[in-house]
Amino acid sequence: MADTRNVAIFCAASESIDNIYVDAAHRVGTMLGEMGASLIYGGSSAGLMETTAKAAKEAGAHIVGVVPDILVERGRVSTLLDEQIPCRNLSDRKDIMLSRSNILVALPGGIGTLDEVFHVVAAAKIGYHSKQVVLYNVNGFWDSLMALIEKFKAEGFIKGNMEHILTKADNIEELEKLIKEATE
């Protein structure tokens, strides 16, 4: 996998999501497959996770699922995986996804997605790695989070420029460009 673009995707496993986000996840998966990437994700058979993996696989991507024990116990592991990496819990999952990827992309998601984003961003901010997290800003989904981060910076809670660690892509073309830059 050394010559492959290894892209970790964080996103929702919820099934009750507006179609605008489902369509966006499908486009991201297709783009990853078309660029010859490996998709590294949480391995769930639900929500945007499954949508992204299915589109990526159909477009030729290698699909890597980092699967915590609880997903196996609940029978929620995707059947699309080319490679399944078992892990004990969500903390292990994040660390493995980080170590296996060149760049991390957050599609719209909930608490779990936020946890993944901030786990990786905090580790980069301290200096554990230099990988970038890109928020795919479908329908302005991440605008309020980015405004909150700007407030934190303005009030001194976050020091320095974070664009090399956390940025957003407002469309698929911007996202593709950022992925290519991080994986060339």
Side-chain angles (χ1 to χ4, degrees), residues 68-129:
D69 293 341
I70 198 163
L71 269 187
V72 175
E73 292 165 10
R74 294 181 177 171
R76 302 293 307 254
V77 179
S78 177
T79 59
L80 301 169
L81 307 181
D82 295 308
E83 182 180 351
Q84 182 173 328
I85 301 171
C87 61
R88 290 179 303 128
N89 55 44
L90 297 179
S91 294
D92 289 345
R93 178 203 258 176
K94 290 177 287 203
D95 291 338
I96 293 167
M97 290 175 70
L98 175 60
S99 72
R100 292 286 302 255
S101 64
N102 305 109
I103 187 170
L104 303 100
V105 176
L107 279 61
I111 297 298
T113 303
L114 285 172
D115 173 57
E116 291 164 332
V117 166
F118 285 113
H119 176 91
V120 174
V121 169
K125 193 75 173 133
I126 294 170
Y128 284 109
H129 67 87

Side-chain angles (χ1 to χ4, degrees), residues 10-11 14 28 36 39 45 47 78 89 101 107 117-118 123-124 130 134 155-156 163 166 177:
F10 301 139
C11 62
S14 174
V28 169
L39 166 64
S45 61
S78 177
N89 55 44
S101 64
L107 279 61
V117 166
F118 285 113
S130 59
V134 179
E155 295 191 19
E163 280 190 21
L166 180 67
K177 180 178 182 273

